[in-house]
Amino acid sequence: MSSDEKPRGLDEALREGILRTISNGQYLVEYSDATHSEGAWSELLDVEVHATAVSVFADESYPYYTVRPAAPLRAPAAKLLATPARRESAPAAVAAAGQAPRDRGRAEQTEKKEEERRAKERFRLRDALAQCLLRTGILPAAADPEGARDLLELARREALVLIPDTNALGNGTMHHLLRTFSRTQLWILPVVVSLTQIQEHDRRQKSALAEPKGANLANVLRSRTVVNGSLGLLARCRDRAQVLEVDPKLLRYLRPGGKGSADPDEGDILEDRLLVETIHTVFRTARTSAARRVVTSDVLLARMLHIEGIPALVQQVPPLPDAGAPCVRYDAGARTFVGAPLVQLLWDMAHIFSSVRLVEERSRSLVARFDTYWPGKTRADWVREALLVTVPDAPQVGTATFSAAVLPDVSLLPVLSLGGAILVGAAPLPALRERLADPPSVDTARMAGEVLLRAKLAVSDGASLATTAELGALDAALREERLDDASRIFRAYPPYAALLDALSARQTVTIPELPDLLAVATHGQPSRKACERLARMPAYLGQAWTAESALLDGTRRPSDDAIATRLRELFDANARDGLCTIDVLLTALCKEQRMTPWAAAGAVRRLVEAGQLPSLAFDPALGPGRRARSRDSIVKGSLLHISEAPVPMDRLEIRSRPVFTVSKRSP
């Protein structure tokens, strides 16, 4: 299978909808790191993608998923990395059973050390994963009751100054606080000492790449967290961050930072001292009434700060739960739902683990891969935190759907265009896109394909889409401008049918009401953006129209006689000096009879041309008149050559001439 491989920033990946149409099921996240894994892929996370979708991520709908540590990280004595040295350790233990007591004792001692080393690696990997989940909002930071109360109190302040230590910048606690204090004016003041430590950690990871070995794991994970986690945060917050300088004379006492430990209490003593002295200086000179806190995960540093009268906010990395964590949760401090789409989680993990990939659990087929390092990576790539992203071009074979979204976020025109391509003959999605004069994006095409499947207008074997009899009938109805018939065929799409039913029952529906109204039909909570696009579908098919920021029912079709009678009455009620504009007349007729402007204009046109409105004069304008004013459009043409045409509200086209006003005909 061919693949799409190119550098992408996170915004670009989200915009392209990478992993937004992933099918339900079980997946694995694996990683490979040239500094210590010798090219092998090792399991990190189990991912279960569910049937529902959530729409709390930037007002978009993404698959709902849960994550938990992969099996090797849940078992205490698990083999974490498939390196040759570890593959030999188990046979060695078996062979030791037949040795002499002294040799057996040595073998047992060796095996004990091996188990201890595995346990340490397991701890490092679990801690790094917990930090990834904390940075992306899937897990909350850990704090004692007093710290939690302080956090909630600070969240109600109008302004706040935060001074993070080096650990807090990268391990996710500052990321957590930024979400919590989203309603607070925030200033972030990292100390220059922290930037010096970031440079030192960057040197360490480059040294590890020059001498790959298993012992590099702890230092590399720690260094990438400090470098990539910290610089990424500061780059995103550069408009409200200012680096605090330290007396240059003091910097000579600074040693290379830390041991690369995952334990926040194992910090560098001189670094902590320089940090404290800088904070004292800032607190003495700062002229602000805003609350100030030092943010740290180091308990010992927090105790020192308390003794020296410096208020601290202690936030720590939570333990990684074996039971699993959902991708979205409610955060009491932020007072909203937080979390991350799957692509964002993998994005963060790649910056820590070098290369990560998502594979289907059973088939081990590749779904997506993210690489932090590749030849030719530029400074601009580093600044925008770009990754080399590889995704298969076609949907995974064996799936029955192209999108797991509760409500596919796609408008009607791409759906109909893709239907036209399918009418030519069954083909995979990439081939169908090539048949179109203006091919949609891959994500839009997948969403459109999913709508066709759910509307029973197409069938799929998992890789290709093929036509159905209903799709041919829809094409014929559109060619002959029978929009009512086209709408009846499209009612097989459950969200569309639910929307028409809601309009019929309520007459008027607003966009904010749609997510709740459609929850039953979609078996979940659709995003507002997807609802907005769905709301335009009935208008395109002549079944609804918009007025005063609401969607109005237009499904009724009174008889021509009833329309003629009511039209004369509406003219008498709305005419001024014997004249009534088409706009006023059409709007009143549509609201009262629950018709769309497209249907009402067609009925009036038939009546005028048949001479059934003799008391009213529809005199055409002498010229083309002003530009047509319309609220909605309808679809026109065949599926393969579909287009939209505006429905004017201020005129009628009668015998190819525009009519703007109606008058009373003289007896």
Side-chain angles (χ1 to χ4, degrees):
M1 180 184 296
S2 59
S3 297
D4 175 21
E5 179 182 275
K6 68 175 182 179
R8 293 175 170 94
L10 178 58
D11 290 343
E12 185 180 358
L14 291 170
R15 189 166 57 251
E16 293 182 13
I18 293 176
L19 297 184
R20 193 166 154 204
T21 57
I22 186 173
S23 301
N24 310 331
Q26 304 288 335
Y27 298 86
L28 290 173
V29 179
E30 302 175 327
Y31 93 101
S32 180
D33 192 331
T35 64
H36 59 269
S37 65
E38 300 182 10
W41 289 91
S42 304
E43 297 176 11
L44 284 176
L45 286 178
D46 290 342
V47 179
E48 182 178 3
V49 177
H50 299 265
T52 56
V54 288
S55 56
V56 298
F57 309 128
D59 200 28
E60 297 285 352
S61 180
Y62 289 88
Y64 177 83
Y65 65 94
T66 56
V67 295
R68 67 170 182 164
L73 298 186
R74 297 196 300 269
K79 179 176 66 176
L80 298 182
L81 297 172
T83 59
R86 292 180 202 176
R87 285 197 293 268
E88 295 169 2
S89 62
V94 174
Q99 294 176 349
R102 174 184 289 182
D103 293 336
R104 189 182 305 118
R106 290 174 180 172
E108 290 175 353
Q109 193 69 18
T110 300
E111 183 64 21
K112 182 178 179 180
K113 290 182 179 179
E114 178 69 13
E115 294 295 335
E116 291 175 352
R117 182 175 62 80
R118 290 174 182 170
K120 288 181 180 179
E121 286 185 349
R122 173 175 170 270
F123 171 76
R124 306 301 186 202
L125 290 169
R126 288 178 63 95
D127 186 75
L129 284 173
Q131 292 182 35
C132 290
L133 297 180
L134 177 58
R135 280 190 294 271
T136 52
I138 295 175
L139 289 181
D144 57 32
E146 183 179 349
R149 285 193 296 271
D150 189 25
L151 188 67
L152 293 176
E153 173 63 28
L154 291 172
R156 290 191 282 267
R157 298 286 187 97
E158 292 184 0
L160 183 62
V161 176
L162 298 180
I163 305 176
D165 68 0
T166 307
N167 272 326
L169 279 173
N171 66 7
T173 53
M174 272 300 298
H175 298 70
H176 171 73
L177 292 178
L178 286 173
R179 286 186 290 269
T180 301
F181 299 136
S182 60
R183 295 176 173 84
T184 303
Q185 182 66 45
L186 205 61
W187 289 274
I188 303 171
L189 306 180
V191 180
V192 71
V193 173
S194 296
L195 300 186
T196 304
Q197 297 303 325
I198 289 172
Q199 290 178 296
E200 170 61 22
H201 280 286
D202 184 60
R203 184 197 63 77
R204 286 186 183 183
Q205 62 176 332
K206 290 176 180 176
S207 299
L209 188 61
E211 298 182 19
K213 56 184 178 180
N216 286 336
L217 183 144
N219 284 336
V220 166
L221 294 183
R222 164 72 173 156
S223 293
R224 288 210 191 99
T225 297
V226 172
V227 175
N228 295 333
S230 301
L231 291 182
L233 175 75
L234 292 176
R236 288 188 291 273
C237 299
R238 60 185 180 275
D239 59 334
R240 49 178 171 172
Q242 178 182 342
V243 177
L244 298 180
E245 297 182 359
V246 176
D247 186 343
K249 295 178 182 179
L250 297 177
L251 285 176
R252 63 181 177 175
Y253 297 108
L254 184 65
R255 297 179 304 181
K259 303 176 183 179
S261 172
D263 187 346
D265 286 338
E266 295 184 14
D268 186 277
I269 296 174
L270 290 179
E271 177 190 351
D272 290 347
R273 190 65 250 163
L274 287 174
L275 180 72
V276 172
E277 292 300 327
T278 304
I279 294 168
H280 275 306
T281 301
V282 171
F283 278 22
R284 283 195 303 267
T285 60
R287 298 179 179 179
T288 176
S289 59
R292 293 164 288 185
R293 292 292 187 277
V294 177
V295 182
T296 182
S297 299
D298 188 333
V299 175
L300 178 59
L301 176 60
R303 295 174 65 187
M304 292 171 51
L305 294 171
H306 177 72
I307 292 173
E308 300 195 31
I310 298 175
L313 193 58
V314 181
Q315 299 283 297
Q316 295 184 307
V317 178
L320 186 66
D322 282 337
C327 66
V328 63
R329 62 179 179 83
Y330 184 80
D331 190 286
R335 289 176 282 174
T336 187
F337 287 93
V338 298
L342 183 55
V343 65
Q344 185 176 343
L345 173 60
L346 296 177
W347 207 270
D348 188 275
M349 292 176 63
H351 280 99
I352 306 304
F353 294 97
S354 180
S355 295
V356 298
R357 67 182 184 185
L358 183 71
V359 298
E360 202 277 330
E361 185 180 51
R362 292 186 178 180
S363 66
R364 296 291 172 135
S365 58
L366 178 68
V367 179
R369 173 173 168 169
F370 303 85
D371 294 286
T372 305
Y373 307 98
W374 70 89
K377 187 170 184 177
T378 65
R379 185 194 69 85
D381 291 328
W382 282 109
V383 170
R384 67 188 182 113
E385 299 180 90
L387 299 178
L388 185 64
V389 183
T390 305
V391 291
D393 284 337
Q396 296 295 304
V397 176
T399 70
T401 61
F402 289 90
S403 170
V406 167
L407 179 63
D409 183 6
V410 63
S411 61
L412 184 62
L413 265 65
V415 173
L416 299 179
S417 295
L418 188 66
I422 295 171
L423 276 179
V424 176
L429 205 58
L432 294 173
R433 290 178 62 237
E434 292 175 1
R435 293 175 181 174
L436 300 175
D438 185 16
S441 68
V442 173
D443 185 54
T444 298
R446 290 180 179 176
M447 292 284 186
E450 182 64 23
V451 171
L452 291 170
L453 288 173
R454 296 184 190 183
K456 298 180 173 57
L457 297 172
V459 292
S460 172
D461 61 1
S464 298
L465 284 167
T467 186
T468 63
E470 289 79 6
L471 187 63
L474 178 63
D475 184 56
L478 292 174
R479 286 176 182 271
E480 299 166 12
E481 298 185 14
R482 294 183 283 110
L483 292 186
D484 290 341
D485 291 339
S487 177
R488 278 189 283 272
I489 296 170
F490 204 71
R491 277 187 70 98
Y493 183 43
Y496 179 77
L499 178 55
L500 290 187
D501 291 342
L503 283 170
S504 179
R506 300 160 56 102
Q507 187 173 353
T508 301
V509 171
T510 61
I511 298 299
E513 295 175 312
L514 284 179
D516 291 334
L517 287 175
L518 297 173
V520 175
T522 58
H523 306 288
Q525 194 79 0
S527 72
R528 175 169 177 144
K529 187 176 180 181
C531 288
E532 289 174 351
R533 289 182 168 169
L534 177 71
R536 290 193 287 270
M537 291 185 181
Y540 274 130
L541 294 176
Q543 308 304 304
W545 59 296
T546 54
E548 300 171 357
S549 303
L551 191 66
L552 277 62
D553 179 38
T555 56
R556 294 185 179 178
R557 299 294 180 263
S559 67
D560 285 356
D561 289 341
I563 293 175
T565 300
R566 194 59 191 135
L567 198 62
R568 288 188 288 266
E569 295 171 351
L570 289 172
F571 175 84
D572 293 338
N574 292 280
R576 296 293 181 269
D577 298 325
L579 287 176
C580 185
T581 63
I582 292 296
D583 187 8
V584 171
L585 203 58
L586 271 184
T587 301
L589 182 65
C590 290
K591 285 185 176 181
E592 183 184 274
Q593 299 297 313
R594 297 177 69 168
M595 304 174 68
T596 60
W598 164 79
V604 174
R605 188 182 304 111
R606 287 194 306 272
L607 291 169
V608 172
E609 293 176 351
Q612 293 182 280
L613 292 170
S615 62
L616 299 178
F618 292 79
D619 296 324
L622 296 178
R626 59 185 179 274
R627 185 176 180 180
R629 184 171 58 83
S630 61
R631 296 172 180 169
D632 304 294
S633 297
I634 58 169
V635 291
K636 297 192 70 175
S638 65
L639 286 177
L640 199 54
H641 300 93
I642 200 71
S643 63
E644 59 179 301
V647 180
M649 290 293 296
D650 61 345
R651 68 192 66 193
L652 288 173
E653 292 289 335
I654 298 179
R655 299 183 181 94
S656 301
R657 296 285 300 278
V659 175
F660 295 95
T661 59
V662 181
S663 60
K664 195 77 169 180
R665 194 182 298 276
S666 301

